Amino acid sequence: MKQLQRILVAVDFSAPGRAAFDPVVALSRKHGADVLVVHAVPSDTPCKWEGGEGAVLMASLRRAGHAAG
């Protein structure tokens, strides 16, 4: 079986979107893979990245990923 090197996960502000992150972290630990996170924003929603909710979400996910190893 080929070893995973990178895992891509898309997240948003929904509970299911956030819940998708946790199993990806577990899978990355198992395989020693990097996690690439994409913040998904609906096309009809303005995206204000700097200082906004997206930055807060990504910082939270980064801390969770580092804490999980």
Side-chain angles (χ1 to χ4, degrees):
M1 180 197 298
K2 188 174 180 178
Q3 189 74 4
L4 296 175
Q5 295 178 353
R6 284 180 225 80
I7 304 169
L8 176 67
V9 60
V11 298
D12 57 17
F13 294 117
S14 70
R18 175 60 175 92
F21 180 74
D22 296 329
V24 167
V25 170
L27 186 63
S28 74
R29 285 188 66 179
K30 179 179 179 181
H31 292 276
D34 292 331
V35 176
L36 304 173
V37 179
V38 175
H39 177 212
V41 179
S43 61
D44 62 347
T45 302
C47 182
K48 297 179 182 175
W49 178 256
E50 293 180 20
E53 294 176 272
V56 172
L57 172 66
M58 295 303 272
S60 170
L61 296 177
R62 186 176 294 115
R63 284 191 301 275
H66 285 286

